[in-house]
Amino acid sequence: MKSFKYTIKDPLGIHARPAGMLVKVVKEIDSHVTIEKDGKAVAADRLLSVMGLGIRCGDTVTLTITGGDEVTSADTILHFFEQHL
């Protein structure tokens, strides 16, 4: 299991477009990914669940990656967050 915390820098937070992009990235890797905010964790491959967290600019989220190639999957997701959020 790999996990990391990330503070959202996008002024709009995780709205529909980046949430959709995140879901697409997560579905392309072979690991299970959860995203957590304020103690509520959801599967990161579910668009409405991710949007339901209401993640805004300045919020810190925790991503947990399990199964498959966790190291590569974690690197892929971290790179996505750094580029888009």
Side-chain angles (χ1 to χ4, degrees):
M1 178 175 79
K2 301 288 281 179
S3 66
F4 64 89
K5 292 182 184 281
Y6 187 84
T7 301
I8 304 301
K9 295 167 185 64
D10 186 307
L12 299 176
I14 299 183
H15 55 91
R17 181 170 292 159
M21 292 167 52
L22 173 62
V23 167
K24 183 177 177 185
V25 168
V26 169
K27 286 185 176 184
E28 291 175 353
I29 60 177
D30 65 345
S31 300
H32 178 72
V33 181
T34 59
I35 183 168
E36 177 183 347
K37 176 191 165 220
D38 297 335
K40 182 177 179 185
V42 299
D45 62 349
R46 304 285 186 231
L47 178 62
L48 294 178
S49 296
V50 172
M51 290 180 60
L53 291 174
I55 301 169
R56 302 183 193 287
C57 183
D59 288 346
T60 298
V61 295
T62 302
L63 287 106
T64 305
I65 301 96
T66 55
D69 186 355
E70 295 171 351
V71 173
T72 301
S73 296
D75 289 344
T76 299
I77 294 168
L78 179 60
H79 178 74
F80 170 82
F81 270 75
E82 290 173 341
Q83 294 297 313
H84 300 283
L85 296 170

